[in-house]
Amino acid sequence: MRGNEMLATDVPVNPAYTKSLKPVVAVLGQHSRVATLGAHLPNGWTLRAARALDDIRPDEIVLLAGATERDVRAARSVLPRRVAVVALVDAHAPADVVAGVLTEGADVCVRGGTPAILAGHLVACRRRQLADRWSTLRNVVG
């Protein structure tokens, strides 16, 4: 702060509203379905195999590979709402499966899993996560 002037770098940011600068996609389910996904994610992104839902960290994006309605329901019942859940279903999954995973709380449902298209959906989820954080940021200056 210079005199009465405050610079943008002087604003204290509540760490609860910030996210890691290096996004992580935690994969649950059929890891073979996303074997080449890492090559399509932006630089700095990490793809990791999660052991179970209790292995998910609050700032990650969860990718349920081979997702079912039950998988999404289970994820939504234990994960914080701010965790993005992406359901990857079979390329020929019927519309009721897609509607079912979305109804159960998936943020996105992707059919097939073409790596470049899936990566695009993950990036969009990340942008929504960041936009949500900034929209809820209030009263950070004391």
Side-chain angles (χ1 to χ4, degrees):
M1 192 136 100
R2 296 183 182 102
N4 290 335
E5 176 185 342
M6 181 179 261
L7 301 176
T9 56
D10 296 328
V11 177
V13 177
N14 182 341
Y17 290 102
T18 61
K19 298 184 63 64
S20 168
L21 296 176
K22 297 187 179 196
V24 176
V25 178
V27 180
L28 285 168
Q30 302 169 3
H31 299 280
S32 61
R33 295 185 73 173
V34 295
T36 61
L37 177 61
H40 297 275
L41 292 170
N43 289 335
W45 282 57
T46 302
L47 189 64
R48 76 172 187 91
R51 294 183 312 271
L53 287 171
D54 62 358
D55 187 31
I56 305 300
R57 298 173 197 121
D59 288 341
E60 294 179 326
I61 296 171
V62 177
L63 174 58
L64 301 175
T68 65
E69 292 175 42
R70 190 181 77 196
D71 296 331
V72 175
R73 187 178 319 112
R76 277 293 165 223
S77 71
V78 298
L79 297 174
R81 189 69 206 153
R82 69 179 185 249
V83 173
V85 174
V86 177
L88 175 60
V89 298
D90 186 66
H92 304 291
D96 62 324
V97 170
V98 173
V101 296
L102 291 170
T103 300
E104 291 298 335
D107 295 284
V108 175
C109 180
V110 180
R111 275 189 177 145
T114 303
I117 291 172
L118 181 55
H121 283 289
L122 292 167
V123 169
C125 279
R126 175 67 173 171
R127 287 182 180 150
R128 283 191 299 276
Q129 282 180 324
L130 292 173
D132 288 346
R133 294 308 172 282
W134 285 109
S135 69
T136 59
L137 187 62
R138 295 182 217 132
N139 304 322
V140 294
V141 179

